Amino acid sequence: MTDLNPSETLAQALHQLPLIAILRGLTPTEAPATGQALVDSGFAIIEVPLNSPAPLQSIKALTALFPQTLIGAGTVLHAQQVMDVHAAGGRLVVSPNFNPAVLAKALALGMVVLPGVASPSEAFAALEAGAHGLKLFPAEMISPSVVKALRAVLPPATALMPVGGITPHTMSAYRSAGATGFGLGSALYAPGRSAHDVRLKAMEFVQAFRA
């Protein structure tokens, strides 16, 4: 992926498997084994939220071990954090909200950026500002019918990624409504969960998605 531009990088990762592993609470010591479990299961996108313990160390470790995987940070709220993630080797910025300053800094550094949106106004504003895709958050308040309505008005190629409470059993309705993929949180990884258990849950998600 390293020779591709950010749009191509995201497209390639989504083509491989449009599921984002959200590793909130991951520690640097857990990162190698957890990352290996995910990569072995087919995951191409890994996000370490910045409210995890020493997240930049985890991102640095993961990017060194898995250079072909799109790895970066979640819960990115400020432009300075974008620079910190970039310095750690991260190539992905995911936010719970749409902050134009965060998006602009990520674009300037050549990173993939997925801002969080919950309304058509936010979605169009984020795309106009250059977002590579949209995190639909929180998915608990964005039903499949809302995704269908958004899909009807947004540019057809827009990557729509519901995040929040997604399980292997809830993906089908969202996909039928037009979701591109998903961000997977505590149903995939929770603090202290072993790499073995993460692998089992990852495989369950992959099988459900491809069913």
Side-chain angles (χ1 to χ4, degrees):
M1 287 186 197
T2 50
D3 296 328
L4 305 177
N5 67 39
S7 294
E8 293 167 337
T9 297
L10 178 62
Q12 181 172 302
L14 292 176
H15 177 73
Q16 180 178 325
L17 183 69
L19 301 177
I20 303 174
I22 302 171
L23 307 180
R24 190 180 308 279
L26 184 77
T27 66
T29 53
E30 296 171 309
T34 301
Q36 192 68 61
L38 292 165
V39 170
D40 288 348
S41 301
F43 276 73
I45 312 175
I46 297 175
E47 164 196 333
V48 181
L50 290 182
N51 54 359
S52 304
L56 298 175
Q57 291 183 37
S58 293
I59 291 169
K60 192 170 186 178
L62 289 168
T63 56
L65 288 169
F66 311 107
Q68 296 305 310
T69 303
L70 179 55
I71 295 166
T75 318
V76 180
L77 304 177
H78 309 290
Q80 179 60 52
Q81 293 175 325
V82 178
M83 292 188 282
D84 294 340
V85 172
H86 183 264
R91 294 185 291 142
L92 171 69
V93 167
V94 184
S95 301
N97 61 326
F98 166 46
N99 180 334
V102 166
L103 201 152
K105 181 59 69 174
L107 292 176
L109 292 172
M111 303 171 78
V112 174
V113 56
L114 302 173
V117 303
S119 71
S121 294
E122 290 179 327
F124 279 105
L127 290 174
E128 188 170 341
H132 297 111
L134 300 175
K135 168 182 175 175
L136 303 182
F137 178 81
E140 290 91 342
M141 63 178 276
I142 302 172
S143 66
S145 60
V146 173
V147 174
K148 184 177 181 179
L150 287 171
R151 179 56 79 197
V153 296
L154 291 171
T158 304
L160 299 180
M161 313 289 289
V163 180
I166 300 297
T167 71
H169 309 292
T170 58
M171 291 192 296
S172 178
Y174 279 103
R175 288 193 71 195
S176 296
T180 306
F182 302 90
L184 311 176
S186 58
L188 174 66
Y189 173 84
R193 185 168 290 162
S194 72
H196 173 74
D197 287 346
V198 172
R199 186 187 303 264
L200 293 177
K201 291 184 178 297
M203 292 172 63
E204 186 180 354
F205 269 108
V206 172
Q207 289 167 1
F209 185 85
R210 290 180 172 161

